[in-house]
Amino acid sequence: NDDEKNPSSTNSSKSLELLSLIPPPPASPAVSADAEEAGRLRSSGAAGDVVSALERYGYCGLLEDSSELAALRASLRRACSAARSTSTLQNGRLARNLSRESCGDQVATFFEESALGEALATYVSPRGKKRKKKALPNRRILEVQGVQDITVVGPCPPQELHRDHDRGRRRAVVLALSLDGRTTLGTEFVRGTHLGGAPPDQDDQDDLPPGGEEDDDDDARAAEDLCEYITTYRFSTKRAPKSDAMLAHFRHSGHLQALDATWMCYDPFTYHRGAAKDHAQAERIFIMLCASHLAPADKAAIASTNDMKRRWRGLQVGPAALVDEK
């Protein structure tokens, strides 16, 4: 059998079979002139660059250039050694829940003093064509919901594509980093999907990425189509491996991008997944934040994803920013 003698030919045949099971995906709403660049998005930490990347792609890789980051890593490393509460997550992942007492002060300092804190506060702050704004100097825009050290306990397949909540874009943001500053996180994103599938009562639906109104409408339609494609095909059965076919299409088209950064931020409403691992991996910190102006029910829904045993209630951080007059 020629296929047995040539494994690459067999793999190619299987890939073609998968691609033929379902139609190709719609165009991405976050098209880059260079798909490779979109997969390795970087920012110097300038607030405008980070906000622009989050609004366009839903994620942003960051450069190792911050003195505040070194202090944050040192504090988180100490907190990890003292952590006692754990949560079991999907696909061979275990989370240690870091307490507010062990690192809350340093986390707050980081978001108050770093350019990234300003960027993330700007990203989640309420805005829109019909909103009135008023500067409230004592109000903090970001609220820390919890910090987890997520460990991959051994070789494992990738996670299912998912969103962390259903409350819409710019409701929450996650800062993730490796403690050693060398290990890349490798999280995979379907770029631009945070722009689609927003709840019908979302109060700032008219606020889309920079560009003309016609371009914004095109992005919104493309995102809706892509999100519908994902929800249609993301679950597999043995008889109809549609999820495998969808992922094969995404790899072929460049929709699915692995972020090879040692620290990054992302909107958890973007479709994403933890990558497959061929070995155990530890010391990957995820700081979960939401917009402080959200209703308590929305905050609780966003916090429920990673089974944090004890939410960091009331820790509002980041520079003062424009907030809703109400």
Side-chain angles (χ1 to χ4, degrees):
N1 188 319
D2 289 339
D3 284 345
E4 290 179 359
K5 297 176 183 178
N6 189 351
S8 64
S9 174
T10 302
N11 292 337
S12 178
S13 298
K14 289 181 178 178
S15 178
L16 289 173
E17 288 177 11
L18 282 174
L19 292 174
S20 67
L21 287 175
I22 62 174
S28 169
V31 175
S32 170
D34 184 344
E36 292 298 317
E37 179 63 22
R40 288 187 285 273
L41 199 60
R42 292 290 190 271
S43 169
S44 63
D49 294 341
V50 174
V51 173
S52 177
L54 286 170
E55 289 182 338
R56 173 60 62 182
Y57 297 97
Y59 59 90
C60 180
L62 299 158
L63 290 174
E64 293 282 335
D65 63 351
S66 167
S67 58
E68 294 94 348
L69 177 62
L72 177 64
R73 277 200 172 106
S75 174
L76 292 172
R77 193 173 289 110
R78 290 191 295 271
C80 285
S81 64
R84 297 291 179 266
S85 170
T86 61
S87 302
T88 301
L89 309 179
Q90 62 164 305
N91 290 64
R93 286 162 167 78
L94 185 70
R96 288 191 292 180
N97 300 298
L98 277 56
S99 69
R100 177 174 173 175
E101 294 75 18
S102 66
C103 58
D105 289 346
Q106 189 60 55
V107 169
T109 298
F110 174 81
F111 286 106
E112 288 167 4
E113 296 182 355
S114 68
L116 185 63
E118 178 187 350
L120 300 187
T122 300
Y123 179 69
V124 304
S125 62
R127 59 193 189 273
K129 295 175 183 175
K130 298 180 181 179
R131 279 189 171 268
K132 296 179 180 179
K133 298 176 183 180
K134 181 180 179 181
L136 300 180
N138 296 321
R139 177 75 176 270
R140 301 299 180 183
I141 292 297
L142 296 165
E143 183 172 312
V144 182
Q145 293 200 304
V147 180
Q148 291 184 318
D149 171 17
I150 298 182
T151 299
V152 179
V153 298
C156 66
Q159 293 179 317
E160 295 279 358
L161 277 178
H162 65 280
R163 285 168 158 161
D164 287 355
H165 63 84
D166 62 358
R167 274 6 190 211
R169 64 181 174 276
R170 296 199 298 99
R171 281 357 190 208
V173 67
V174 176
L175 174 63
L177 59 122
S178 60
L179 282 184
D180 63 11
R182 298 184 301 275
T183 304
T184 57
L185 297 163
T187 304
E188 298 175 337
F189 296 92
V190 185
R191 63 180 186 267
T193 47
H194 63 310
L195 301 176
D201 61 345
Q202 184 163 318
D203 57 8
D204 56 354
Q205 294 181 61
D206 56 344
D207 184 54
L208 287 166
E213 289 186 8
E214 185 175 343
D215 291 340
D216 292 348
D217 290 342
D218 290 343
D219 280 345
R221 283 192 293 268
E224 291 290 348
D225 291 344
L226 186 54
C227 290
E228 184 177 350
Y229 181 87
I230 292 172
T231 56
T232 300
Y233 296 120
R234 71 188 178 118
F235 295 114
S236 278
T237 66
K238 290 184 178 180
R239 289 190 174 186
K242 294 179 181 179
S243 177
D244 291 343
M246 178 187 70
L247 293 168
H249 273 295
F250 281 170
R251 285 189 290 269
H252 185 261
S253 64
H255 281 68
L256 189 67
Q257 298 288 336
L259 197 60
D260 61 344
T262 57
W263 71 307
M264 65 180 181
C265 53
Y266 63 94
D267 187 325
F269 193 61
T270 308
Y271 273 106
H272 63 283
R273 68 176 187 171
K277 302 293 182 184
D278 58 9
H279 59 277
Q281 192 176 58
E283 297 189 329
R284 301 181 310 135
I285 303 296
F286 290 76
I287 302 175
M288 281 75 76
L289 307 108
C290 70
S292 61
H293 67 271
L294 295 181
D298 290 330
K299 292 180 182 180
I302 291 170
S304 66
T305 305
N306 282 353
D307 187 32
M308 288 178 285
K309 301 300 184 186
R310 186 182 174 193
R311 247 173 74 197
W312 288 21
R313 297 177 186 273
L315 181 57
Q316 296 183 358
V317 299
L322 292 178
V323 298
D324 195 29
E325 190 175 42
K326 180 179 178 181

